Amino acid sequence: MELLHFKKDIPFMSYGKLTTAISLLTFLLSVFFLFSKGLHFSVEFTGGTVMEVQYTQPVELNSVRSKLDGLKLGEATVQSLGTSRDVLIRLPNLKDRTSAQLSNQVLAALQADNTQVELRKVEFVGPQVGEELVTSGLTALTLVCAGIMLYLAIRFEWRFAVAAILANMHDVVIILGCFALFQWEFSLTVLAAVLAVLGYSVNESVVVFDRIRENFRKSGMRGKTTAQVIDNAITATMSRTIITHGSTEAMVLSMLVFGGPALHGFATALTIGIVFGIYSSVLVASPIALALGVKREHMIKPVKPKEEAVV
C-alpha cells in the first residue's frame, strides 16, 4: 500500500549534517539532565512499602489516590490487582515512620469511609532489592544492544550495525533525559517501554537498510552516488513509515490519554521513543552510515569471473 507517491527523491542526506548536529545537541542535553537532576526512581528501585488491600465491592482507583494524597506520604502508586476489588499500593520510604506505621495509617484512612476494607498483605522492599533491579535493568539494556549490533553486523555490514546502535542509544538517552528533566517517575514499566523502543527503533532501521541494499543491487542505481541511493531508499519507505508508525502512535496516545496513572509512564516513554525512533532511523542512522563510508562494494560481494578451461 502506497499512501504517498513522490516523483522525486527527497534529499535527506543533504541535511545530514544539520540533523546529526540537532541529534548531538539533544543527546548532550539529555546527558546533562541525567547527571544534574538524575532519574526519579519509583518504589521498585528505591525501596518502600507495598500493600495489598481488598474491598467487598468494586472501587474507583481515583478515590483511593485522593485519600492517599490527603495523607501526604509522597508519590504513592495505586493500581488494580487482578480485579476491581483488589488494589495494590506502593508507598515510598519515610525517615520518620516505619513500614508498619505507614501501612496502619493508610489502612485507617481507607477504613474511615468503608470499614470492610481488608488488608491482605504488607511487604517492605529494601534498597538492596532496588539496587538489584537497577543492575538487572542495565544488564538487560546492554544485552539488547549487543544482540542488535550482532544481528545487524551479520545481516548487513558492520558500518550499518554501528550506525543503528548509535541511533538506538540516541533514542534511549533522550527518553531518559526527558524523564530526568521533568522528574517523571521511572518505574519498571518505563524500563520495559525503553527496551521495547530499542526493538521498535531497530525495526525501522532494518527496513531502511534493507531497501538501501536492494538499491545497490539494482542496475538503474549504478550511476547514482551513495547519498542518492540512500535518499531513494528512505523516500520509497515513507508511505510504510507513515502508516505503520502513525497507527502505532495513535494506539500509544490512546493509552496515554485513557490508560490512567498505571499506564502513564509506560505510554509516555513509548510516545517519546516512537517519535524519536522514526527520526533517528531516517535522519540519524543513515547519515552516520554514510559518514562511516558505506559503499556499494561493502554490501555486494564481487563475483569472480570463471576461469577458462585449458584445452
Side-chain angles (χ1 to χ4, degrees):
M1 180 178 180
E2 189 175 21
L3 184 64
L4 300 173
H5 179 71
F6 299 94
K7 294 183 179 180
K8 294 183 179 180
D9 295 337
I10 303 175
F12 290 103
M13 293 303 101
S14 62
Y15 306 105
K17 292 182 179 179
L18 175 62
T19 56
T20 304
I22 294 174
S23 300
L24 181 60
L25 178 61
T26 54
F27 181 88
L28 293 177
L29 285 174
S30 299
V31 172
F32 171 76
F33 290 130
L34 280 172
F35 280 96
S36 61
K37 291 191 171 185
L39 291 173
H40 175 50
F41 289 106
S42 65
V43 174
E44 295 100 335
F45 294 102
T46 60
T49 302
V50 179
M51 299 175 56
E52 292 182 15
V53 296
Q54 188 177 66
Y55 287 77
T56 55
Q57 300 293 331
V59 62
E60 290 288 336
L61 295 182
N62 288 332
S63 64
V64 178
R65 292 189 185 97
S66 62
K67 290 183 180 296
L68 294 178
D69 291 339
L71 296 177
K72 299 187 183 301
L73 300 177
E75 295 188 13
T77 303
V78 180
Q79 63 188 71
S80 59
L81 187 64
T83 67
S84 58
R85 297 187 300 111
D86 298 314
V87 180
L88 179 68
I89 302 173
R90 293 188 179 94
L91 303 169
N93 284 326
L94 295 179
K95 295 180 180 179
D96 57 343
R97 271 166 282 190
T98 64
S99 179
Q101 291 173 335
L102 284 174
S103 61
N104 291 334
Q105 186 177 358
V106 170
L107 184 62
L110 297 179
Q111 289 180 340
D113 296 333
N114 188 348
T115 57
Q116 295 181 338
V117 177
E118 180 184 355
L119 179 63
R120 301 299 300 273
K121 186 170 64 173
V122 178
E123 292 181 349
F124 173 73
V125 181
Q128 183 63 32
V129 178
E131 292 177 4
E132 292 177 0
L133 287 174
V134 172
T135 303
S136 300
L138 292 176
T139 302
L141 192 62
T142 303
L143 291 176
V144 169
C145 293
I148 289 173
M149 287 191 69
L150 180 62
Y151 166 74
L152 291 176
I154 294 174
R155 178 165 179 176
F156 297 103
E157 205 260 342
W158 71 266
R159 292 174 178 81
F160 282 110
V162 173
I165 202 63
L166 289 177
N168 286 357
M169 293 311 299
H170 160 272
D171 302 338
V172 170
V173 172
I174 286 180
I175 294 174
L176 298 179
C178 289
F179 272 78
L181 172 62
F182 299 106
Q183 287 296 288
W184 293 328
E185 187 179 63
F186 190 85
S187 61
L188 285 176
T189 56
V190 176
L191 176 60
V194 171
L195 295 176
V197 166
L198 273 175
Y200 188 86
S201 180
V202 75
N203 178 67
E204 180 65 22
S205 299
V206 167
V207 171
V208 175
F209 292 166
D210 203 40
R211 183 56 65 93
I212 293 173
R213 182 170 59 181
E214 289 179 6
N215 283 353
F216 278 140
R217 292 173 177 173
K218 289 180 180 178
S219 57
M221 289 285 174
R222 288 181 180 175
K224 303 286 186 180
T225 64
T226 303
Q228 291 173 330
V229 170
I230 295 176
D231 288 337
N232 179 268
I234 297 175
T235 304
T237 57
M238 285 294 292
S239 293
R240 181 259 178 202
T241 299
I242 295 173
I243 294 172
T244 304
H245 298 291
S247 58
T248 306
E249 189 69 16
M251 181 271 295
V252 173
L253 286 174
S254 66
M255 282 198 303
L256 180 63
V257 176
F258 304 108
L263 292 176
H264 188 268
F266 178 79
T268 301
L270 281 180
T271 301
I272 299 171
I274 290 174
V275 172
F276 280 97
I278 300 171
Y279 173 83
S280 65
S281 298
V282 175
L283 299 175
V284 177
S286 297
I288 290 177
L290 182 63
L292 291 175
V294 65
K295 297 179 181 179
R296 185 187 307 272
E297 52 266 28
H298 296 151
M299 305 295 293
I300 303 175
K301 295 180 179 179
V303 180
K304 295 181 180 180
K306 294 182 179 180
E307 296 180 358
E308 295 183 2
V310 179
V311 179

